[in-house]
């Protein structure tokens, strides 16, 4: 019922394209996360949806209603779009009590006082602020302020939620708890949610789909697991995942064999992508190591061992190639040790080095990508 | 190194350490000196109004010099002269102060909104022009007003108004409450503007956007969000501006005295020239009382409300300009016109007036360079030579620069030391006392402060010589009156210097004096330098502070200019005030060039 369609949206700030021909369909009730490094246009896109920013080109449709169209010269003001927003700084009004902050939206809608009061009690109770209604925002902790911002969003029950890095002002622990709560409120309200963040953990854990943006353009739209397992280009592959993906540039040994190498490492990827220069994307967990049994030419040396709770990160070096792998916490590798290396070939993603885009295993696609 | 053995020291050892700690020593010395220069003068002023003076046998047969009496307070509050002495001037002060404050706040508020929150063009150069009226001496604006609206009925030559229209202006337009209120408003609106602009700049525009998303219109957002958020700051600005207007002396004197219109401040001066010292002191205390009440009120507002109105800003704070749309250029033209009329036109008028041979006669053949470069001519201005050949003026210029320079340096260094003590010894009650004493001069209207020093150094006290009539006295009062500002600047500078920088030097074995000289001073120099420049300009244009203490040998430009204006030598006083105005503008330009100057200025004006 509240599907959002974004069509060919463009927004320029003094020659700089903050949004470049962005198109996107957001399903009703979806939790869509806009993810990207700073300056990628994610906040601009959110502000365009809110109506706080006027795009130069394109159109936005919410449900049945065109809320923005450059061609038809339509620009519905923010208050008439029937949506709620949580700002990065929360934007609580410092001269109003918690209760008045939450009540403001209901006042604008001219909700009768008894109805408004019931709603306020419900919402404040829901977010756990029942007892703090008469406080002023500056008398609250960061987490409580965050809840007021949330209550303010929930009070008018809008079908669309917009959130601009709402958790970035909280400390790490609180952020974890709030993620769970945000998710709960969103699914109870069944609201279509667009959520901006630069924190990939937030994106992965909360979203139904993630939109990765860079330089005003959409790089990939996928559910989080697919985003991790099958990044569509090397930018996304590199941006998503902690520790970082290994991107290894290799050259074909000859045009028909699936063997590629770079002098330090040679790899049989098991199929022929049809390019001479490829970049292999290997997640740290897709490389496994074991103690060297037979001494040979292709041995990697461990240059660092970084224990990290349930897992241990191991850095390997050979010649100019450095790889990161993730092993179980109880493995006993030590720095300086030489190890054998094996790849989980089926999990690898192959990119054309020239374009940086994913080569699918369909041979017809392969030729185009190169 | 002694520090490491603290635990092994006995009680007397701790005491020994406490008094040999150079910081504590400096703190004690400063406390004693400042108490003598700030608190004692006030007490002495109070005593003067409550005891009989040496010459008072003429007034009352009961007078015994040095004995207690409530005679002066009775005379001022209930005697036959009380209407003329106290209640009339009090009423006038309130009327002109309130009117001027309201006008200044309206103009300042609207302009601040245009500059801070809207997308009005030309802000970069409009802003300095808009602060001009506050930079130039207030008395320049009064003289410019007089140049236009002077009325021959009161005496002297006609002004531009009469020359153009052929009829003299009505008297209410020339002298009294109306022109005083307007010119006070012109002088103080930049002050209000800076205060309101500071408050507006702290508004996170996400607060307004949030209201917009809730469905509130622009007007509702302005009414329910923007106004309430700035209201406390606005109110505080209102009261502070009022507090400033009541202490003004030169401006109401020029535009009021010819029509026998007196405010409390001008009455202090008038009484002293008549030799009614004790009465003048009573009025000075009344003035201080008004100032205290207004500052107390403003602190109450700021203290109770703004603390919880603190804009909560973390990451994501943004301030967006509001598009004026079609109003962009009309608003720009209106603001530019206003800036020209109040900022530049008065200076042009003074310049034109200063080259007219016969005042009030407008024609090309009447223009002369005499008042600037002429030699003494008995037919013109009682034989006073032009300002560039006038020994009095050359001496006064030298005095002005010397006074401003020495005072600015001393005030900055002492301010920095006090700031250091306040920041680093925050838990020591004596340090807090020192901070508070250094702030007290801010509470004294300058003319009242000058009156206090009149009695303080009249006779030698112990090792302190009689300083009345000396240049040293001018330096002392200028330094003390600048302390509230220079301490503020210093605190900001010292707070930014991490304690560990100093501890590192301490571990290297540097003494406190060396640490202060080698670490604190260089690191705070940029802030302190701009603070010094602010003081330099401030002292240069100061009149009411020192007008009571000046003797012929210690004349400065402002007092010479004021003297000429009193004698009716318009061209000379205009020329002099113009020189001071140009000097202060140059000072401000240097400040802007230093860069951080703007910050320091804002700080001064918000304190």
């Amino acid at each position: 019922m509240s599907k959002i369609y974004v069509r060919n949206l463009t927004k320029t700030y003094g020659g700089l394209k903050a949004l470049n021909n962005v198109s996107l369909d957001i399903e009703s009730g979806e939790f869509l996360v806009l993810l990207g490094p700073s300056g990628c246009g994610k906040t601009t896109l959110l502000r365009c949806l809110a109506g706080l920013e006027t795009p130069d080109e394109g159109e936005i449709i919410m449900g049945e209603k065109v809320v923005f169209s450059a061609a038809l010269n339509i620009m519905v003001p923010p208050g008439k779009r029937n949506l709620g927003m949580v700002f990065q700084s929360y934007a609580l009004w410092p001269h109003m009590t918690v209760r008045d902050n939450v009540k403001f939206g209901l006042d604008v809608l001219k909700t009768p006082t008894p109805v408004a009061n019931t709603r306020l009690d419900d919402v404040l109770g829901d977010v756990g602020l029942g007892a703090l209604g008469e406080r002023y925002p500056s008398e609250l902790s960061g987490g409580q302020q965050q809840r007021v911002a949330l209550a303010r969003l929930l009070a008018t029950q809008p079908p669309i939620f917009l959130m601009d890095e709402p958790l970035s002002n909280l400390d790490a622990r609180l952020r974890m708890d709030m993620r769970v709560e945000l998710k709960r409120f969103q699914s109870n309200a069944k609201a279509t949610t667009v959520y901006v963040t630069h924190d990939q953990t937030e994106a992965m854990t909360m979203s139904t789909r993630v939109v990765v943006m860079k330089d005003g353009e959409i790089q990939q739209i996928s559910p989080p697991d697919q985003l991790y397992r099958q990044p569509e280009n090397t930018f996304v592959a590199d941006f998503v995942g902690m520790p970082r993906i290994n991107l290894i540039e290799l050259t074909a040994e000859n045009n028909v064999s699936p063997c590629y190498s770079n002098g330090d490492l040679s790899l049989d990827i098991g199929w022929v992508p049809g390019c001479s220069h490829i970049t292999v994307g290997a997640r740290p967990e897709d490389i496994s190591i074991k103690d060297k049994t037979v001494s040979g030419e292709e041995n990697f040396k461990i240059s660092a061992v970084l224990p990290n709770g349930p897992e241990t990160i191991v850095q390997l070096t050979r010649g100019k190639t450095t790889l990161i792998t993730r092993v179980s916490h109880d493995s006993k590798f030590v720095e300086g040790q030489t190890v054998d290396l094996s790849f989980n070939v089926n999990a690898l993603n192959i990119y054309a080095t020239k374009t940086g885009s994913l080569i699918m295993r369909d041979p017809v696609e392969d030729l185009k990508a190169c | 190194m002694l520090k490491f053995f603290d635990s092994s020291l006995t009680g007397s050892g701790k005491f020994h350490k406490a008094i040999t700690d150079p910081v504590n020593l400096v703190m004690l010395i400063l406390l004693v000196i400042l108490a003598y220069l700030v608190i004692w003068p006030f007490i002495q002023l109070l005593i003067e109004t409550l005891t009989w003076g040496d010459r008072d046998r003429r007034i009352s047969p009961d007078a015994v010099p040095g004995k207690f009496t409530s005679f002066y307070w009775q005379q001022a509050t209930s005697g036959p002269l009380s209407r003329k002495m106290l209640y009339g001037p009090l009423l006038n002060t309130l009327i002109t102060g309130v009117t001027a404050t309201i006008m200044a706040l309206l103009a300042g508020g609207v302009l601040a909104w245009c500059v801070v929150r809207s997308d009005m063009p030309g802000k970069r150069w409009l802003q300095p022009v808009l602060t001009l009226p506050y930079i130039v001496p207030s008395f320049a604006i009064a003289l410019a007003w007089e140049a236009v609206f002077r009325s021959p009925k009161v005496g002297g030559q006609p002004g531009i108004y009469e020359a153009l229209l052929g009829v003299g202006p009505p008297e209410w337009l020339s002298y009294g409450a109306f022109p005083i209120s307007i010119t006070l408003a012109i002088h103080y609106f930049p002050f209000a503007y800076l205060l309101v602009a500071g408050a507006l700049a702290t508004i996170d525009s996400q607060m307004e956007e949030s209201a917009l998303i809730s469905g509130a219109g622009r007007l509702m957002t302005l009414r329910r969000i923007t106004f309430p958020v700035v209201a406390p700051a606005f109110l505080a600005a209102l009261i502070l501006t009022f507090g400033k207007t009541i202490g003004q002396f030169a401006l109401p004197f020029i535009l009021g005295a010819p029509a026998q219109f007196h405010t409390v401040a001008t009455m202090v001066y008038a009484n002293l020239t008549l030799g009614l010292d004790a009465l003048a002191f009573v009025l000075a205390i009344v003035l201080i009382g008004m100032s205290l009440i207004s500052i107390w009120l403003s602190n109450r507002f700021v203290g109770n409300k703004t603390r919880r109105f603190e804009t909560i800003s973390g990451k994501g704070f943004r301030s967006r300009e509001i598009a004026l749309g079609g109003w962009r250029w009309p608003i720009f033209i209106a603001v530019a016109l206003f800036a020209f009329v109040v900022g530049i036109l008065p200076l042009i008028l003074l310049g034109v007036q200063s080259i007219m041979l016969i005042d009030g006669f407008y024609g090309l053949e009447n223009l002369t360079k005499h008042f600037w470069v002429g030699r003494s001519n008995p037919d013109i201005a009682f034989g006073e030579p032009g300002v560039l050949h006038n020994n009095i003026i050359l001496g006064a210029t030298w005095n002005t620069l010397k006074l401003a320079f020495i005072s600015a340096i001393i005030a900055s260094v002492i301010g920095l030391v006090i700031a250091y003590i306040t920041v680093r010894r925050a838990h020591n009650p004596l340090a807090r006392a020192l901070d508070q004493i250094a702030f007290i001069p801010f509470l004294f209207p300058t003319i009242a402060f000058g009156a206090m020093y009149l009695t303080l150094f009249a006779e030698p006290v112990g090792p302190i010589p009689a300083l009345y009539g000396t240049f040293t006295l001018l330096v002392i009062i200028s330094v003390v009156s600048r302390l509230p500002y220079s301490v503020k600047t210093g605190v900001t500078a010292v707070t930014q210097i991490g304690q560990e920088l100093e501890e590192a030097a301490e571990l290297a074995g540097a003494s406190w004096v060396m640490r202060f000289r080698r670490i604190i001073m260089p690191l705070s120099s940029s802030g302190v330098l701009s603070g010094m420049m602010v003081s330099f300009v401030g002292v240069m244009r100061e009149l009411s502070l020192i007008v009571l203490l000046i003797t012929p040998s210690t004349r400065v430009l402002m007092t010479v200019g004021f003297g000429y204006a009193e004698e009716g030598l318009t061209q000379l006083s205009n020329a002099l005030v113009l020189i001071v105005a140009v000097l202060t503008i140059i000072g401000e330009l240097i400040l802007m060039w230093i860069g951080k100057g703007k910050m320091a200025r804002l700080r001064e004006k918000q304190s």
Side-chain angles (χ1 to χ4, degrees):
Chain A
M1 92 197 159
S2 279
K3 235 180 136 174
I4 303 172
Y5 305 90
V6 177
R7 295 273 174 272
N8 309 99
L9 220 55
T10 298
K11 172 80 187 171
T12 313
Y13 290 112
L16 193 84
K17 278 214 159 105
L19 290 180
N20 191 5
N21 202 19
V22 169
S23 295
L24 179 65
D25 288 359
I26 306 168
E27 299 297 331
S28 182
E30 182 173 22
F31 198 117
L32 186 89
V33 171
L34 302 179
L35 177 70
S38 60
C40 72
K42 55 190 192 301
T43 299
T44 309
L45 178 55
L46 190 79
R47 292 176 61 84
C48 286
L49 291 177
L52 295 170
E53 215 72 67
T54 311
D56 305 327
E57 293 297 334
E59 69 184 354
I60 302 172
I61 300 158
M62 290 179 174
E64 308 285 293
K65 195 169 155 199
V66 179
V67 294
F68 172 78
S69 168
L72 302 173
N73 205 14
I74 295 174
M75 172 69 192
V76 176
K80 299 262 183 272
R81 294 189 179 194
N82 200 13
L83 43 82
M85 182 159 169
V86 176
F87 290 84
Q88 189 179 12
S89 67
Y90 314 145
L92 302 182
W93 300 305
H95 58 296
M96 295 183 188
T97 60
V98 167
R99 214 179 158 79
D100 290 342
N101 260 285
V102 180
K103 191 158 163 279
F104 187 85
L106 297 171
D107 286 353
V108 174
L109 293 176
K110 303 206 166 59
T111 314
T113 314
V115 181
N117 280 334
T118 320
R119 178 78 195 133
L120 278 176
D121 293 337
D122 286 354
V123 172
L124 287 175
D126 268 358
V127 298
L129 289 174
L132 303 177
E134 298 312 313
R135 295 249 191 119
Y136 283 87
S138 61
E139 296 165 343
L140 301 178
S141 70
Q144 289 167 334
Q145 290 176 8
Q146 164 73 61
R147 285 159 191 274
V148 179
L150 193 60
R152 201 167 63 178
L153 167 89
L154 295 171
T156 53
Q157 297 172 295
I160 297 174
F161 291 177
L162 303 180
M163 304 195 184
D164 184 5
E165 309 210 19
L167 304 182
S168 64
N169 276 334
L170 301 180
D171 61 53
R173 254 192 118 93
L174 208 51
R175 212 177 296 171
M176 283 278 272
D177 301 343
M178 282 310 289
R179 267 184 222 149
V180 178
E181 290 210 34
L182 271 185
K183 189 80 183 150
R184 179 167 65 88
F185 285 119
Q186 189 265 340
S187 57
N188 285 349
K190 298 188 178 57
T192 310
T193 303
V194 183
Y195 185 107
V196 164
T197 184
H198 62 258
D199 179 337
Q200 45 169 305
T201 322
E202 233 166 84
M204 296 304 222
T205 50
M206 301 175 78
S207 65
T208 50
R209 280 195 303 161
V210 181
V211 177
V212 180
M213 294 183 70
K214 181 198 171 197
D215 298 336
E217 290 178 14
I218 292 180
Q219 302 291 314
Q220 181 167 358
I221 310 177
S222 306
D225 53 336
Q226 195 192 347
L227 188 73
Y228 186 75
R229 287 306 345 161
Q230 201 175 51
E232 284 168 14
N233 58 43
T234 46
F235 169 78
V236 178
D238 193 43
F239 188 74
V240 176
M242 198 65 208
R244 273 175 150 175
I245 197 168
N246 295 291
L247 290 172
I248 317 156
E249 288 186 22
L250 299 175
T251 313
E253 290 178 345
N254 63 58
N255 269 339
V256 286
S257 93
C259 289
Y260 286 80
S261 71
N262 67 355
D264 299 321
L265 176 80
S266 66
L267 187 63
D268 180 352
I269 62 168
W271 55 289
V272 185
C275 288
S276 57
H277 295 275
I278 61 165
T279 301
V280 171
R283 294 282 176 201
E285 58 272 27
D286 297 335
I287 303 175
S288 41
I289 49 174
K290 58 175 190 283
D291 294 348
K292 189 81 189 167
T293 45
V294 199
S295 64
E297 292 293 300
E298 288 202 1
N299 43 12
F300 272 77
K301 209 173 189 180
I302 295 180
S303 49
V305 178
L306 311 167
N308 180 27
E311 59 181 26
T312 298
I313 308 299
V314 177
Q315 192 189 51
L316 311 164
T317 316
R318 180 165 194 250
K320 288 176 185 161
T321 308
T322 301
L323 298 175
I324 297 281
T325 166
R326 196 198 294 260
V327 298
S328 154
H329 66 99
D330 50 6
S331 34
K332 302 270 180 286
F333 295 104
V334 291
E335 213 179 303
Q337 191 183 349
T338 331
V339 290
D340 265 342
L341 196 69
S342 62
F343 286 85
N344 175 5
V345 178
N346 287 329
L348 301 183
N349 290 305
I350 309 298
Y351 303 92
T353 303
K354 214 160 92 190
T355 57
S357 53
L358 183 70
I359 306 173
M360 304 298 282
R361 269 185 103 150
D362 179 353
V364 184
E365 291 288 318
D366 298 351
L367 294 172
K368 281 185 198 162
C370 292
Chain B
M1 295 306 282
L2 211 62
K3 215 175 178 174
F4 299 111
F5 303 108
D6 249 0
S7 54
S8 65
L9 288 175
T10 59
S12 70
K14 272 183 187 160
F15 177 75
H16 177 76
K17 182 183 170 279
I19 59 159
T20 48
D21 178 351
V23 179
N24 288 347
L25 206 64
V26 171
M27 181 167 78
L28 284 177
I29 295 172
L30 279 173
L31 259 178
V32 172
I33 294 180
L34 282 188
Y36 184 72
L37 291 176
V38 176
I39 298 174
W40 177 240
F42 178 70
I43 296 171
Q44 209 180 16
L45 190 73
L46 208 58
I47 294 173
E48 288 279 330
T49 64
L50 291 170
T51 50
W52 291 110
D54 290 336
R55 290 169 296 177
D56 287 344
R57 280 198 182 283
R58 288 174 303 171
I59 305 174
S60 163
D62 305 332
V64 183
K67 283 274 181 276
F68 171 83
T69 176
S70 57
F71 173 79
Y72 301 117
W73 283 92
Q74 280 171 3
Q75 195 185 21
T77 53
S78 57
L81 280 177
S82 63
R83 236 185 92 83
K84 191 169 175 296
M85 252 340 151
L86 181 66
Y87 298 119
L90 201 57
L91 192 66
N92 289 341
T93 308
L94 287 175
I95 290 172
T96 54
V98 169
T99 322
T101 304
I102 291 171
M103 287 193 286
L105 253 289
L106 283 180
V110 171
L111 290 168
W113 188 85
C114 289
V115 171
V116 177
R117 297 306 308 280
S118 83
D119 64 344
M120 184 181 74
K123 290 177 191 178
R124 262 177 67 93
W125 58 268
L126 271 178
Q127 198 158 7
V129 179
L130 282 173
T131 48
L132 261 185
Y134 191 58
I135 290 167
V136 301
S138 62
F139 151 47
I141 297 163
L143 286 178
W145 183 278
E146 221 199 352
V148 179
F149 295 107
R150 194 168 31 228
S151 154
K153 275 177 226 151
V154 184
Q157 300 301 317
I160 295 172
Y161 177 99
E162 189 171 355
L164 289 179
L165 297 182
V167 281
E171 197 183 309
W172 59 266
L173 194 56
S174 309
Y175 299 102
F178 182 76
I180 291 175
S181 305
I182 296 262
T183 47
L184 276 176
I186 292 176
H187 182 55
Y188 283 112
F189 89 83
F191 177 74
Y193 160 84
L194 289 170
L195 287 174
V196 179
L200 281 175
T202 62
I203 293 189
D204 182 349
S205 50
Q206 289 185 3
M207 286 195 312
E208 292 163 327
E209 288 172 351
S210 191
L212 284 179
I213 284 183
S214 303
R218 289 243 173 251
L219 271 179
M220 185 173 179
T221 307
L222 210 59
R223 189 167 56 84
R224 295 226 12 209
I225 310 293
T226 316
F227 283 159
V229 172
V230 271
F234 198 78
L235 218 58
L238 194 86
I239 298 167
L240 277 182
T241 310
F242 175 76
K244 287 241 165 195
T245 60
I246 59 172
Q248 259 298 327
F249 155 70
L251 189 153
F253 190 84
I254 301 265
L255 293 176
Q260 297 305 314
F261 183 94
H262 278 287
T263 63
V264 178
T266 63
M267 211 59 202
V268 172
Y269 180 82
N271 275 333
L272 280 171
T273 46
L274 292 174
L276 302 169
D277 294 13
L279 269 179
F281 297 156
V282 168
L283 288 170
I285 290 170
V286 169
L287 206 53
I288 291 169
M290 290 173 78
S291 161
L292 284 179
I293 291 171
S294 67
I295 285 167
W296 176 75
L297 276 177
S298 98
N299 279 347
R300 257 183 66 99
F301 278 113
V302 177
N304 286 351
K305 289 209 165 166
T306 349
R307 212 168 299 144
R308 75 178 178 222
F309 282 25
E310 255 169 31
T311 331
I312 312 127
S313 61
K315 278 189 215 163
F317 176 90
R318 46 174 101 215
S319 180
R320 266 159 202 277
E321 295 181 345
I322 290 160
L324 294 173
W327 286 97
R328 213 165 158 248
W329 289 100
I331 287 179
F332 166 75
I333 292 169
V335 173
L337 210 63
F338 178 79
F340 172 77
V341 169
V342 301
I344 298 173
L345 190 62
L347 298 181
I348 296 178
L349 286 174
L350 290 184
V352 169
Q353 290 275 306
S354 72
I355 54 170
M356 293 198 314
L357 183 59
I358 301 165
D359 195 16
F361 177 66
Y362 297 87
L364 276 180
E365 65 280 16
N366 189 30
L367 297 185
T368 175
K369 292 180 289 191
H370 175 84
F371 297 104
W372 287 90
V373 298
R375 302 274 173 191
S376 179
N377 178 344
D379 294 334
I380 308 173
F382 312 121
E384 289 280 352
V387 289
L388 299 182
H389 287 296
N390 193 322
N391 282 331
I392 292 175
I393 290 165
L394 293 179
T397 310
W398 172 237
N399 278 346
T400 306
L401 294 175
K402 196 166 64 167
L403 178 65
F405 189 71
I406 297 174
S407 310
I409 287 182
I410 299 179
S412 298
V413 173
I414 296 183
L416 184 63
V417 174
I418 295 177
Y420 175 88
I421 294 170
T422 317
V423 174
R424 292 283 192 255
R425 296 284 192 277
H427 299 297
N428 188 331
L430 286 179
R432 277 199 300 265
L434 184 64
D435 183 40
Q436 277 154 10
I437 293 183
F439 179 73
I440 290 177
F442 181 78
L443 310 176
F444 296 148
T446 45
I447 186 129
F449 199 35
M452 289 180 198
Y453 272 50
L454 207 51
T455 54
L456 182 64
F457 292 108
E459 286 156 21
V461 180
I464 307 160
L467 289 174
Y468 179 75
T470 62
F471 186 73
T472 316
L473 181 62
L474 298 186
V475 173
I476 292 175
I477 193 168
S478 300
V479 167
V480 175
S481 77
R482 293 307 309 178
L483 275 187
Y485 307 110
S486 62
V487 170
K488 274 250 144 51
T489 318
V491 165
T492 317
V494 175
T495 315
Q496 285 161 358
I497 303 171
Q499 172 95 57
E500 63 281 357
L501 293 183
E502 227 189 307
E503 283 164 351
E506 196 175 356
L507 289 176
S511 70
W512 178 73
V513 175
M514 186 166 177
R515 286 189 325 255
F516 193 82
R517 207 164 46 81
R518 297 280 300 272
I519 313 284
I520 303 292
M521 296 227 323
L523 282 175
S524 57
S525 62
S526 65
V528 172
L529 189 71
S530 57
M532 204 182 279
M533 202 63 216
V534 173
S535 288
F536 183 79
V537 173
V539 172
M540 203 152 59
R541 63 164 173 242
E542 190 53 75
L543 172 67
S544 42
L545 181 70
I546 49 178
V547 70
L548 303 174
L549 304 173
I550 290 290
T551 54
S553 62
T554 57
R555 276 192 275 232
V556 294
L557 283 174
M558 285 298 287
T559 60
V560 176
F562 179 70
Y564 282 139
E566 250 186 322
E567 287 168 40
L569 298 173
T570 325
Q571 294 93 330
L572 285 169
S573 69
N574 286 350
L576 274 178
V577 172
L578 199 58
I579 292 176
V580 179
V582 169
L583 284 176
T584 53
I585 290 169
I586 291 173
E588 291 288 322
L589 287 177
I590 295 174
L591 257 179
M592 280 171 74
W593 180 66
I594 293 175
K596 285 192 176 164
K598 198 172 136 202
M599 299 268 308
R601 246 188 358 261
L602 267 174
R603 239 176 271 134
E604 167 181 358
K605 274 144 206 188
Q606 277 173 339
S607 53

